[in-house]
Amino acid sequence: MIETRFEVPVTINGEVFNVTVRELRPAEKKALEKIGEEQKSLLEEQSAKERKSEENAIALQEAQHALEVTREMLELVELKDKLALFIEIKKLGFEIGRLKRERLSLERSDLTKANDALERIYKEKFNFIIGGDNKEALKNTIEECNVSYQTVFAEINAEIEEQTKKKLNASEDGQNK
């Protein structure tokens, strides 16, 4: 089995860590897929919350519109009918407040859980494919500085892409001579 390896510098807060990145082995790929399956229910739950958040946004718009209409009606009705409209305005105000709090709660929990699920997958991938003398120092720095493993992999992938382009250009230049 031919294994591709790249020597990649990763920079965090001005400190450079030279690490070795290799491809996933089949067993490691299966392990990541298993973790992904475990996270799937979490992502499905997030999707359901997103739908609920969208429904909440619609209900909030409807309640705000009803409040505006009720306030306009308040100006048009006689004094004896205003009490019922004031009660309706108060109810709509409470409903709008409840919907806003619910929406904020949904948005916060969704982002945190989804990000945690992805971070777990990237952290495991890091443990599988990153090697070299600086691996543990890099891992400690990632944790200490609260850097996302997703961000680290974005930098690693950009460097690998650049190295691959250089190798391709060098091989094309060698063939053209």
Side-chain angles (χ1 to χ4, degrees):
M1 176 178 169
I2 298 175
E3 207 172 85
T4 305
R5 293 181 183 270
F6 293 92
E7 298 298 323
V8 178
V10 178
T11 305
I12 298 178
N13 291 341
E15 190 174 351
V16 178
F17 300 89
N18 292 309
V19 293
T20 303
V21 181
R22 63 170 175 77
E23 293 178 7
L24 280 171
R25 294 183 178 122
E28 295 166 339
K29 193 172 185 176
K30 284 182 183 180
L32 280 179
E33 288 171 356
K34 184 178 179 185
I35 293 170
E37 285 297 318
E38 291 169 2
Q39 302 303 316
K40 186 177 179 181
S41 64
L42 182 62
L43 295 173
E44 287 172 350
E45 178 184 318
Q46 177 193 347
S47 179
K49 283 185 178 183
E50 285 174 3
R51 283 191 300 277
K52 186 172 181 172
S53 182
E54 289 171 9
E55 292 168 2
N56 178 287
I58 292 168
L60 181 60
Q61 285 178 333
E62 290 172 353
Q64 288 171 333
H65 180 70
L67 181 63
E68 288 175 29
V69 169
T70 306
R71 284 186 177 149
E72 289 172 8
M73 288 174 51
L74 191 60
E75 297 173 9
L76 302 174
V77 298
E78 295 181 21
L79 184 62
K80 64 179 180 171
D81 297 325
K82 286 189 178 190
L83 180 60
L85 290 176
F86 280 130
I87 292 171
E88 183 65 22
I89 287 172
K90 188 174 181 178
K91 287 180 184 176
L92 288 169
F94 284 130
E95 180 67 9
I96 289 170
R98 183 190 67 76
L99 288 169
K100 284 182 177 179
R101 285 189 303 277
E102 184 178 305
R103 185 170 187 193
L104 281 173
S105 174
L106 285 170
E107 289 172 357
R108 285 186 194 135
S109 69
D110 284 352
L111 291 176
T112 302
K113 286 182 179 179
N115 192 44
D116 289 349
L118 287 173
E119 266 309 286
R120 181 167 179 239
I121 292 169
Y122 277 101
K123 186 175 183 178
E124 287 300 317
K125 184 175 180 179
F126 179 93
N127 290 329
F128 286 143
I129 69 171
I130 303 296
D133 296 338
N134 290 322
K135 175 182 178 174
E136 289 304 315
L138 174 59
K139 189 173 182 177
N140 291 337
T141 302
I142 290 170
E143 299 294 330
E144 288 170 9
C145 296
N146 202 23
V147 175
S148 165
Y149 282 93
Q150 295 173 57
T151 305
V152 172
F153 270 99
E155 184 176 337
I156 288 171
N157 290 336
E159 179 64 27
I160 289 173
E161 187 176 322
E162 187 177 314
Q163 288 182 22
T164 303
K165 284 181 184 177
K166 285 180 184 177
K167 286 180 183 178
L168 287 174
N169 288 340
S171 70
E172 287 175 1
D173 290 343
Q175 289 177 355
N176 291 336
K177 287 183 180 183

